[in-house]
Amino acid sequence: MSRELFDDLVGNQSFSLKEVNFAEVDSLEDLVRIFIEFEKDTVLFYEMIAPFIEDSDTRTHLQTIIAEENRHIKRLRDFIAKSDKAALPVH
């Protein structure tokens, strides 16, 4: 894949946590949501490069990685859901 084609595919998408100002993160939930977005960006990146991978073993490994990243997203979302339930007032 040429650099120009790659740049066209990726565009302005950031796949880095460098842009996050962690000093401005006010809560654990906000922090977890940042990591969910990073995981989603990672999945997007892998899905974008997948069509260019010709080796079937490599594609299989990539699909395994994508599945793992999606499990991370689910676990982080579950963590937020459990935190929300724990924070509800008891009546």
Side-chain angles (χ1 to χ4, degrees), residues 1-51:
M1 177 184 331
S2 74
R3 179 70 180 174
E4 289 174 0
L5 178 58
F6 183 77
D7 288 344
D8 286 344
L9 284 172
V10 174
N12 293 328
Q13 179 67 36
S14 174
F15 298 98
S16 173
L17 291 172
K18 287 182 182 180
E19 295 178 8
V20 176
N21 183 351
F22 288 100
E24 293 179 3
V25 177
D26 293 332
S27 69
L28 179 59
E29 182 176 334
D30 290 343
L31 183 62
V32 173
R33 289 187 190 284
I34 289 167
F35 287 116
I36 288 171
E37 289 305 311
F38 183 73
E39 295 284 352
K40 288 168 55 178
D41 285 349
T42 304
V43 169
L44 176 64
F45 174 75
Y46 289 142
E47 288 174 342
M48 286 177 12
I49 65 169

Side-chain angles (χ1 to χ4, degrees), residues 59-91:
R59 272 196 317 271
T60 299
H61 288 298
L62 184 61
Q63 291 304 317
T64 301
I65 293 168
I66 290 170
E68 182 66 25
E69 297 299 324
N70 282 318
R71 280 190 294 277
H72 295 166
I73 293 167
K74 182 183 180 322
R75 291 179 72 190
L76 290 167
R77 286 180 174 157
D78 289 348
F79 176 82
I80 289 174
K82 288 178 185 175
S83 296
D84 287 345
K85 286 180 184 176
L88 291 176
V90 178
H91 294 276

